[in-house]
Amino acid sequence: MEIATMAQATQLHAQLLKHQQTDPQNLSKIFNFTALSPSGNLTYARHILNSLQTPTNSYFHNTMIRAYSDSSDPFQSISLFLTWHNSQDPFSPTPDRFTYPFVLKACSKLKQKRFGKQLHGLIYKSGFSPDLYIQNALIHFYSGCDQMGFASKVFDKMPERDVVSWTSVINGYVDNKITLEGLRLFDKMVMEGFEPNDVTVLSVLRACADTGALSVGIKVNDFVNLKGTQLKKNVVTALIDMYSKCGCIDSALRIFNEADNKDVYVWTAMISGLSSHGLCKEALELFENMKNLEIKPDEKTMTAVLSACRNMGWVNEGLQHFKNIKKVYKLKPTLQHYGCIVDLLARSGQLEEAQKFIKSMPIEPDSVMFRSLIWGCKVHGDTERLEHLIEQFQDSCSDCGTYVLLGNVYASKGKWKNKAKVRSLMNKKGLVKPSGYSRIEINGEIYQFTAGSTCNIEAESIYKKLEEIEERLKGSGYDPKLSEVLLEIDDEEKASQLLHHSEKLAVSFGLMKMKPGSVIRIVKNLRSCEDCHSFMKHVSSVYKREVLIRDRIRFHHFRNGECSCGDYW
């Protein structure tokens, strides 16, 4: 008996009831369809469950709990479990090893940390702790609830592991932005002889993209090629994203050109990669090619297209593409789309238009838009508008980035008391400025630097090399921009502060350790300051080295004293 539609399922169920048939096999098929099929009906499935006098086994409860855990209302999964667990019926089956993974999945979706931990205790008490599938589900639960310490403990104590165990904890580290630990664990997994599956590959490629771990990304690419099967589209998308974010746009293009039957996600990844590398003309040409093949763009495609226009300051093109989102592609503009236009207008100096655009938006603007506007006022010297915006938002904003920008604006004008007030407001609201860092990969290992850091075992040599670099650059015209140091200190201290920025420490280490002529790739979590930008241009010229820096927004390719951004960032 094959069931294809809900109408068919109800008819068959009616026949069973009419003839008072108790065929468990047919009833199970009907129940399975109504509970688990995309064409099913959870309400009807629950009706079947409730109509059963006393199920002979846990199948019906487990299937219903599973269905709820995958639904838009996973709380029903927990509710049914509790009802079942607390049942006083001595003939009713009890929860078993197949029950708990689905309940833990619901807990993860709902971020039910407390109940999930209680469930962990019940699992231990019930004697199911050694079960591999439950252990994997616990790792997934703790990872999804930002509890990687507990997830790691579960993993470390497992008597046996499979590839799902390794993948779950690696994916947890990547999702929780502890990507370096995820990569370390992946190395250990491979050393212990476990072969990655598709989910592992996707998680590791995400980690490589985040950290700039190009050598690991290349190894993963080689691994999937050795399997000899056609790459799945999500793996192709992840490879393009990884190579783009690791600074190898040519490799990303190679993967893209070799791929067959590209879907919108593959095209979007490539358009986004080209845009982030400043190849914005090529990004828009690729977008036109995609449309010519009648592949409809989605919201992320349009974000990539608008980002290309923003990075180049193409106002008219950007506005036209924004209009087409709704008019041509029948999509609803997202907050990211509006944000791109505000940033585009503000960067180009059209501050009045940017402000009017924000006021005309049908959705509530976020703090990023106001930061773009404030930054634009600072860059283009619109002091009156800047002061009005600061008065309007400094007490009401609730994110750290806006307060940091406001403090920097005050400091750049020498208004130290105002900056102190902003700092006081941050402290009252419990906001902490994120630490800036720069990462560089050398011989397959990732090194991380923060401003003024002395954690590296070769810190003394790094600083000595940096002083040597600065002296050579000054001979070629480099002049430290002391105005970038927004502290009330003397010029000598300002120069020292500038020299010890994280990306300068990273490039110093790179020049020490990497072969002459090799490309220096650095990943930052914040935007580069104007002085560091000038510093890297001189490094590329004096040392004849190509330097690639990925900041929070885009790539900067430094070659022969020039940057790919054209000093527009």
Side-chain angles (χ1 to χ4, degrees), residues 411-471:
S412 67
K413 295 180 176 297
K415 296 183 177 181
W416 304 109
K417 289 183 179 179
N418 296 78
K419 181 183 178 182
K421 182 183 175 183
V422 169
R423 177 64 67 177
S424 176
L425 280 170
M426 287 180 66
N427 291 336
K428 283 181 181 178
K429 295 188 177 186
L431 300 174
V432 180
K433 179 183 177 182
S435 298
Y437 63 77
S438 295
R439 290 170 175 165
I440 184 170
E441 183 186 43
I442 298 175
N443 297 327
E445 189 168 348
I446 301 290
Y447 297 88
Q448 182 167 302
F449 296 89
T450 56
S453 170
T454 56
C455 295
N456 191 290
I457 195 169
E458 298 186 64
E460 186 176 343
S461 299
I462 292 168
Y463 280 96
K464 186 176 179 181
K465 178 69 174 179
L466 191 53
E467 290 173 3
E468 171 201 311
I469 294 168
E470 186 185 39
E471 286 303 310

Side-chain angles (χ1 to χ4, degrees), residues 351-359 373 385 388-389:
L351 301 167
E352 180 68 25
E353 289 78 2
Q355 209 161 355
K356 286 179 179 177
F357 184 82
I358 290 175
K359 289 178 181 178
L373 199 52
R385 191 185 308 276
H388 175 72
L389 286 169

Side-chain angles (χ1 to χ4, degrees), residues 205-234:
L205 287 175
R206 281 199 296 135
C208 295
D210 178 69
T211 59
L214 178 60
S215 64
V216 179
I218 291 172
K219 287 178 184 176
V220 173
N221 190 5
D222 291 341
F223 167 77
V224 295
N225 286 338
L226 281 172
K227 292 177 78 173
T229 56
Q230 187 176 13
L231 295 182
K232 292 183 179 179
K233 291 173 185 176
N234 57 358

